[in-house]
Coordinates of all heavy atoms in Angstrom, one line a residue:
E130 N 50.1 -17.4 160.9 CA 49.5 -16.1 160.5 C 48.8 -15.4 161.7 O 48.9 -14.2 161.8 CB 48.6 -16.2 159.3 CG 49.2 -16.7 158.1 CD 48.2 -16.9 156.9 OE1 47.0 -16.6 157.1 OE2 48.6 -17.4 155.8
H131 N 48.2 -16.2 162.5 CA 47.3 -15.6 163.6 C 47.3 -16.5 164.8 O 47.1 -17.7 164.7 CB 45.9 -15.3 163.0 CG 45.0 -14.6 164.0 ND1 45.2 -13.3 164.4 CD2 44.0 -15.1 164.7 CE1 44.2 -13.0 165.2 NE2 43.5 -14.1 165.5
L132 N 47.3 -15.9 166.0 CA 47.1 -16.6 167.3 C 45.7 -16.2 167.8 O 45.4 -15.0 168.0 CB 48.1 -16.2 168.3 CG 49.6 -16.4 167.8 CD1 50.5 -16.1 169.0 CD2 49.8 -17.8 167.3
G133 N 44.8 -17.1 168.0 CA 43.4 -16.8 168.2 C 43.1 -16.2 169.6 O 44.0 -16.0 170.5
T134 N 41.9 -15.8 169.7 CA 41.4 -15.2 170.9 C 41.7 -16.0 172.1 O 41.4 -17.2 172.2 CB 39.8 -15.0 170.9 OG1 39.6 -14.1 169.8 CG2 39.3 -14.4 172.2
N135 N 42.3 -15.4 173.2 CA 42.7 -16.1 174.4 C 43.7 -17.2 174.3 O 44.0 -17.8 175.3 CB 41.4 -16.6 175.1 CG 40.6 -15.6 175.8 OD1 41.1 -14.5 176.2 ND2 39.3 -15.8 175.9
F136 N 44.2 -17.4 173.1 CA 45.1 -18.6 173.0 C 46.2 -18.6 174.0 O 46.6 -19.5 174.6 CB 45.6 -18.8 171.6 CG 46.4 -20.0 171.4 CD1 45.8 -21.2 171.1 CD2 47.8 -20.0 171.5 CE1 46.6 -22.4 171.0 CE2 48.6 -21.1 171.4 CZ 48.0 -22.3 171.1
L137 N 46.9 -17.4 174.1 CA 48.1 -17.3 174.9 C 47.7 -17.0 176.4 O 48.6 -17.0 177.2 CB 49.0 -16.2 174.4 CG 49.6 -16.6 173.0 CD1 50.4 -15.5 172.5 CD2 50.5 -17.9 173.2
S138 N 46.5 -16.8 176.7 CA 46.1 -16.6 178.1 C 46.3 -17.8 178.9 O 46.3 -17.8 180.1 CB 44.6 -16.2 178.2 OG 44.4 -15.0 177.5
Q139 N 46.5 -19.0 178.3 CA 46.7 -20.2 179.0 C 48.1 -20.4 179.5 O 48.5 -21.3 180.2 CB 46.2 -21.4 178.2 CG 46.9 -21.5 176.9 CD 46.1 -22.3 175.9 OE1 45.6 -23.4 176.2 NE2 46.0 -21.9 174.6
F140 N 49.0 -19.4 179.1 CA 50.4 -19.5 179.5 C 50.7 -18.3 180.4 O 50.1 -17.2 180.3 CB 51.3 -19.4 178.3 CG 51.0 -20.5 177.3 CD1 50.6 -20.2 176.0 CD2 51.1 -21.8 177.6 CE1 50.3 -21.2 175.1 CE2 50.8 -22.8 176.7 CZ 50.4 -22.5 175.4
S141 N 51.8 -18.4 181.1 CA 52.2 -17.3 182.0 C 53.8 -17.3 182.0 O 54.4 -18.3 182.2 CB 51.7 -17.5 183.4 OG 52.2 -16.5 184.3
G142 N 54.3 -16.1 181.9 CA 55.8 -15.9 181.9 C 56.5 -16.7 180.8 O 57.5 -17.3 181.0
Y143 N 55.9 -16.8 179.6 CA 56.3 -17.7 178.6 C 57.1 -16.9 177.5 O 57.1 -15.6 177.5 CB 55.2 -18.3 177.9 CG 54.1 -17.3 177.5 CD1 54.2 -16.7 176.3 CD2 53.1 -17.1 178.3 CE1 53.3 -15.7 175.9 CE2 52.1 -16.1 178.0 CZ 52.2 -15.4 176.8 OH 51.3 -14.5 176.5
N144 N 57.9 -17.6 176.7 CA 58.5 -17.0 175.5 C 57.8 -17.5 174.3 O 57.5 -18.7 174.2 CB 60.0 -17.4 175.5 CG 60.8 -16.7 176.6 OD1 60.5 -15.6 177.0 ND2 61.8 -17.4 177.0
I145 N 57.6 -16.7 173.3 CA 57.1 -17.1 172.0 C 58.2 -16.9 171.0 O 58.8 -15.8 170.9 CB 55.9 -16.2 171.6 CG1 54.8 -16.3 172.5 CG2 55.5 -16.6 170.2 CD1 53.6 -15.4 172.2
E146 N 58.6 -18.0 170.3 CA 59.7 -17.9 169.4 C 59.1 -17.9 168.0 O 58.4 -18.8 167.6 CB 60.6 -19.1 169.5 CG 61.8 -19.0 168.6 CD 62.8 -20.2 168.9 OE1 62.8 -20.6 170.1 OE2 63.5 -20.6 168.0
V147 N 59.4 -16.8 167.2 CA 58.9 -16.7 165.9 C 59.9 -17.3 164.9 O 61.0 -16.8 164.8 CB 58.6 -15.2 165.5 CG1 58.1 -15.0 164.1 CG2 57.6 -14.6 166.5
T148 N 59.4 -18.3 164.2 CA 60.3 -19.0 163.2 C 60.2 -18.5 161.8 O 61.1 -18.6 161.0 CB 60.1 -20.5 163.3 OG1 58.7 -20.7 162.9 CG2 60.3 -21.0 164.7
G149 N 59.0 -18.0 161.4 CA 58.7 -17.6 160.1 C 58.0 -16.2 160.1 O 58.5 -15.2 160.4
N150 N 56.7 -16.3 159.6 CA 55.9 -15.1 159.6 C 55.7 -14.5 161.0 O 55.7 -15.2 162.0 CB 54.5 -15.3 158.9 CG 54.6 -15.9 157.5 OD1 55.6 -15.5 156.8 ND2 53.7 -16.7 157.2
F151 N 55.5 -13.2 161.0 CA 55.1 -12.6 162.3 C 53.6 -12.5 162.4 O 53.0 -11.9 161.6 CB 55.7 -11.2 162.5 CG 55.8 -10.8 163.9 CD1 57.0 -10.9 164.6 CD2 54.7 -10.3 164.6 CE1 57.1 -10.6 166.0 CE2 54.8 -10.0 166.0 CZ 56.0 -10.1 166.7
P152 N 53.0 -13.2 163.4 CA 51.6 -13.3 163.5 C 50.9 -12.1 164.1 O 51.5 -11.2 164.7 CB 51.4 -14.5 164.4 CG 52.5 -14.4 165.4 CD 53.7 -13.9 164.6

Side-chain angles (χ1 to χ4, degrees):
E130 295 177 4
H131 183 72
L132 308 185
T134 298
N135 281 334
F136 184 84
L137 293 175
S138 297
Q139 56 203 316
F140 306 116
S141 175
Y143 51 85
N144 291 330
I145 299 176
E146 185 174 333
V147 179
T148 61
N150 300 328
F151 202 96

